[in-house]
Amino acid sequence: MKMKKIIPLTLLAAVSVNAAAQDVQDALRFSENNYYGTARSISMGNAFTALGGDLGSINLNPAGSAVNSFSQVTFTPNVSIVSTTSDYNAMPSQSTAYGSTLNNSSARFTLPNVGFTLNFDTNARRGLKRVTFGFIANATANYLDDMAAGGRNTATSYAGSLASMMTGVNTSLLNGENGYYGNANVPWNQVTGWQSGMVSTYGSANDQYIGATEKLIDDGKGGQTIQLADAIDQLYGRRSHGNKYDLLLNVGLNISDRVYIGGNLGIVSMDYTRNEYFKEIAVDPDKFGVEFDNGSGGVSKTYFNSLRYRYSYDMQGGGVYAKFGIIAVPIDGLRIGAAIQTPTANWITEHWQHAGETWYQSNVFDANATSPKGEYKYKFVSPFRANFGVAYTFGGWGLVSADYEICDYSTMKFKETDTNDNTVFDNGVNRDIKNFTGAAHALRLGAEVKPVPQFAIRAGYNFTSSPERYIDNLTGKKMTPKAYKHSLAAGVGYSSKGSFFCDLAFRWTKNPYEYVYPYDSYIEGELSPEIRNRARFYDVVATFGWRF
C-alpha cells in the first residue's frame, strides 16, 4: 500500500480491545466482592455481620455459624440477568453529545451458595456451650457482561491508531509467528494488525505505516500527511462471564449464648472469560481507494470495505486467606458484630489471543491473521477488609440490621511467581494501583418481619462507593469519583414446623457509568471515541434448606 501518519499522541484508553498486560481494572476485578449467598442473606442486603445464623453470612462473619443451636444444609440456585445501555461518542473533541444508544442483555444460571454446618452441644451450662464446623461455598462475584455500542466517525479510526503506534517498528519484526515472540517490545495487536492487512507501509519506508481506512494527501507545504479517507461506521462489542467463590472451612464457638467467635480458612476460586471485537465499515467504499504493489513493478487498486479486530482473554485463579469474627449480645435483642479478613494471596494463570480480518471490494486482497495463544502466570495480593455490624431483634417477629465494610484497594499488588524481581510490576501497574485506587466504603441495610412464625417478609439495600481515584487537573490532588453502586432487594421465606425451609429473593443492582475507549488517541486535537456504558443486574434466587 502507499502512505503514513502524524505523530503518536498520549495513551488515553482505560479499557481497550488491544489490552494484554495486567492493569488496575484486572486488580479490581480480582479483589472486589459483590456478595451473593443464600436467598435470605441476599434479600436482606447481606447485612449479617451482627446477625449470623445463615450460611450466606459466614463469609461476612465467621462467628455467624455459632449462633444457631442446630445443624443445617442449604443449596441456592440463581438466575442472573445483565442489561446494558451503551452510548457512543465517535468524536468527543468535536462534540460532548452521545449518539445512538444500544441495549443488550444476557442471562446465566449459577449456584451462589451450597454448604452445611454441623453443630455439637457440649452440654455445658456456661462457657463453651456449642461448637460448630462448616463447609460453605458462597459466590462473591458474578462477571456476566454483554454490551455493544457504535457510531459514525469522520476523524479517527482503529486502523489509524494502530498505524500511528507502530511508527518506527521495522516490518522484519512483524512477520510470521516469530513476530509475536521475537521482540517483546512489539505488542501482539500490532503484529496481528500487520499480518491481517489492517495497516501497511507506504512509499519506500519499512517502518512508517498507514491504516487501511486512511489516505495520503498533500499538506500544501510540499509534504504529505495522512487522514481518514471518508466516513466509517464503528462498532465495539464485549461479552464476558465467570464467577468468584469463597470456599470456607469454618469453626464457630458459642460462649454462654452471649459471645460467638469464629474463624474461616477461605479458599478463593476464580474464573473469567472475555471476548471483545471492534469493527470499522466504509460508508462509501469507493472513497477508500488502496494501491498495492503487484510484485511486478506496478500497482493494483482496490477499495477498502471493512475490518474487524478480535481479542479473547480467559483467567483461572485460586487464593487463600483467613478471616476472624465476633458477635456479642450485650443485652437481649441487641447484637454487635465485627470481622477482619487478611489479604488474599492469589495465583493466577491467564491466556489471551488476538485475531483480525480485513476485507476489500476485490476479495483477492482480503487478509486475516490469528495470533498464538499467550499464557502468563503470576501472583496477585488482594487487600485486607474489615466489616462491622449492629442488629436488633424484636422478639420472634422481626429484626433490623446494618453493616459497614471498608477495603483499601491501594494495597493491591501484582508479583512475579518465579522471582522476587517485581520491577516491571512496581514500575507499572503497582504504581498505577497506588495512584488511582483507594478505600471503598459499603453500607448494607436489612430488615425482616414475621407476620406469622412460619412466614417472613424481607428487604435490603446496599450502597458502595468507588475504589477508583483520579488526579484533579487544577489542584493535582487525588480525588474520588462520585460513582456509586446501589442494590435493592426483597424476598420472602417459609419455615416448616419440621426441618425444611425455603426462601426466595429478588435483587436489582445498578452499577455506575463505565467509560470505555476502544483505541488510543493519536492525532493532536482529536480524541478517540468514548463509550458510556451502564449495567444493571437482576438476580432471582431460591434457597432450599434442612435443619437437623
Side-chain angles (χ1 to χ4, degrees), residues 259-514:
V259 177
Y260 309 91
I261 59 176
N264 289 339
L265 174 63
I267 301 170
V268 177
S269 175
M270 293 184 286
D271 69 278
Y272 173 69
T273 299
R274 182 175 79 249
N275 290 285
E276 299 175 89
Y277 68 87
F278 192 77
K279 295 182 70 173
E280 295 186 328
I281 304 166
V283 175
D284 182 359
D286 289 342
K287 295 183 178 179
F288 288 79
V290 180
E291 293 181 345
F292 286 91
D293 185 343
N294 65 10
S296 303
V299 295
S300 297
K301 188 170 184 178
T302 186
Y303 298 89
F304 168 77
N305 196 331
S306 61
L307 63 82
R308 180 178 65 176
Y309 203 92
R310 293 179 288 133
Y311 176 70
S312 61
Y313 170 89
D314 66 77
M315 175 276 293
Q316 298 79 40
V320 61
Y321 68 86
K323 191 164 190 173
F324 307 94
I326 185 170
I327 297 174
V329 186
I331 59 173
D332 290 345
L334 179 64
R335 294 171 179 262
I336 301 171
I340 187 167
Q341 179 176 312
T342 68
T344 304
N346 299 281
W347 289 266
I348 293 171
T349 300
E350 60 182 24
H351 303 93
W352 64 91
Q353 192 166 39
H354 300 261
E357 300 95 19
T358 307
W359 296 279
Y360 295 90
Q361 283 193 340
S362 176
N363 59 19
V364 69
F365 298 105
D366 292 352
N368 64 82
T370 300
S371 77
K373 197 167 188 177
E375 179 180 280
Y376 185 47
K377 297 181 180 181
Y378 55 90
K379 184 179 178 181
F380 173 72
V381 180
S382 53
F384 85 93
R385 62 183 68 239
N387 45 294
F388 309 89
V390 60
Y392 194 85
T393 59
F394 302 92
W397 62 269
L399 62 89
V400 292
S401 182
D403 277 18
Y404 166 73
E405 181 170 314
I406 183 171
C407 183
D408 185 0
Y409 291 92
S410 67
T411 62
M412 301 182 295
K413 184 169 288 189
F414 288 91
K415 296 183 176 183
E416 299 282 1
T417 56
D418 299 328
T419 176
N420 58 8
D421 180 9
N422 296 306
T423 305
V424 173
F425 283 139
D426 289 342
N427 292 336
V429 63
N430 288 342
R431 180 181 57 199
D432 291 341
I433 287 170
K434 290 180 180 179
N435 291 335
F436 297 109
T437 67
H441 309 273
L443 174 66
R444 300 188 289 266
L445 304 174
E448 179 181 74
V449 175
K450 290 186 175 182
V452 295
Q454 287 80 32
F455 183 73
I457 301 171
R458 303 170 180 130
Y461 170 72
N462 285 181
F463 168 89
T464 306
S465 67
S466 175
E468 298 185 58
R469 299 293 186 268
Y470 68 94
I471 305 301
D472 185 89
N473 290 332
L474 295 177
T475 65
K477 292 182 179 180
K478 190 174 178 181
M479 306 291 288
T480 303
K482 295 180 179 179
Y484 309 119
K485 181 165 71 175
H486 302 270
S487 291
L488 292 172
V492 295
Y494 167 76
S495 181
S496 72
K497 293 182 180 180
S499 68
F500 175 73
F501 61 94
C502 175
D503 302 303
L504 299 174
F506 173 80
R507 180 170 68 180
W508 169 84
T509 302
K510 182 176 74 171
N511 281 359
Y513 280 118
E514 170 198 14

Side-chain angles (χ1 to χ4, degrees), residues 3 19 110 137 147 161 186 188 199 201 266 295 439 459 461 471 543:
M3 318 162 97
T110 62
M147 65 89 79
S161 175
V186 182
W188 281 25
V199 299
T201 56
Y461 170 72
I471 305 301
T543 293

Side-chain angles (χ1 to χ4, degrees), residues 45-65:
N46 276 306
F48 268 80
T49 298
L51 282 175
D54 186 278
L55 296 196
S57 73
I58 294 177
N59 57 331
L60 295 164
N61 190 343
S65 65

